[in-house]
Amino acid sequence: MSYLLNALGLLIELAFNAAVTLLLLRVLAEACRADFHNPLSQFVYRYTNPVLAPVRRVIPNWRRINLAALLLAWLAMLLKRWVLFAVTGMMPGVAGLLVLSLAELLDFALMFYLILVFAWSLLSMFAVDQRHPVLRLLDAIVAPLMRPLRGRLVVGMIDFAPMAVMIALLLARMLIAAPLLDLGMRLALAR
């Protein structure tokens, strides 16, 4: 029976994580002013706009941060965690569920950025067309993290800035997200 629960849990995680990925891409693309005419940006806007349009009427952007998309991403993580608890037959505490979903969103965002920086640095090693939509979107999203270190960690012909950013993201996952996840789980299971 636990094999079936594991498979169901995996499918639930995949479905909710796909939605959160689209919402985070929307937040990052707007915050970094990615090219709206990029086909990938068009895809993200087309599939997130029906859900975001009603919420954006109530919750406006703050500077360039799409607060409505962040709220929906957090609610998706909250619903995902609640469904996963319900599938196992547990009823978590509300405070723990709120903290746990916020910590999961933070951890997901840090891991997402880590993957984007890795993909960007990997693609920069090859002769890829700089006008390719994937590379343009990656460059727009990763550039704000790389800008402070650009050109400062170069040894010979190798730029170690992406590695430093990835280490900083990993440390943030270990020192910020992991303790919040532990706190949220303790609060959720405390009854």
Side-chain angles (χ1 to χ4, degrees):
M1 188 66 170
S2 74
Y3 296 119
L4 184 61
L5 286 177
N6 287 342
L8 184 60
L10 174 72
L11 293 175
I12 291 167
E13 290 258 357
L14 285 174
F16 281 101
N17 287 349
V20 171
T21 300
L22 275 176
L23 291 167
L24 278 180
L25 271 173
R26 173 82 180 244
V27 169
L28 294 174
E30 285 183 17
C32 299
R33 295 186 184 194
D35 181 18
F36 180 75
H37 300 292
N38 184 334
L40 288 174
S41 297
Q42 290 287 316
F43 173 81
V44 169
Y45 281 89
R46 185 177 307 121
Y47 287 103
T48 56
N49 213 35
V51 178
L52 281 175
V55 180
R56 287 185 77 166
R57 289 187 199 123
V58 179
I59 302 172
N61 286 0
W62 178 70
R63 297 188 183 188
R64 289 185 308 202
I65 308 293
N66 190 337
L67 294 177
L70 279 177
L71 176 68
L72 288 178
W74 175 66
L75 289 175
M77 283 293 191
L78 182 73
L79 186 60
K80 176 186 86 169
R81 184 47 57 191
W82 182 79
V83 168
L84 287 173
F85 274 123
V87 164
T88 59
M90 298 168 59
M91 205 54 202
V94 175
L97 196 59
L98 295 173
V99 172
L100 186 60
S101 60
L102 184 64
E104 281 186 343
L105 179 61
L106 175 64
D107 187 52
F108 188 85
L110 290 170
M111 188 63 183
F112 185 68
Y113 238 125
L114 182 72
I115 291 168
L116 290 180
V117 170
F118 179 75
W120 177 82
S121 64
L122 192 63
L123 285 174
S124 70
M125 288 187 219
F126 300 106
V128 180
D129 183 14
Q130 297 296 319
R131 295 170 298 172
H132 195 278
V134 172
L135 197 56
R136 285 189 305 157
L137 185 61
L138 273 176
D139 194 39
I141 291 173
V142 171
L145 282 181
M146 302 302 294
R147 196 172 298 125
L149 298 176
R150 177 75 39 119
R152 293 186 180 175
L153 298 175
V154 177
V155 177
M157 296 290 291
I158 300 172
D159 187 7
F160 288 99
M163 186 181 298
V165 168
M166 287 190 285
I167 289 171
L169 289 169
L170 283 171
L171 286 173
R173 283 188 75 212
M174 284 188 232
L175 299 175
I176 299 169
L180 279 175
L181 283 167
D182 290 342
L183 174 67
M185 193 58 83
R186 279 196 312 270
L187 289 173
L189 297 178
R191 282 263 165 191

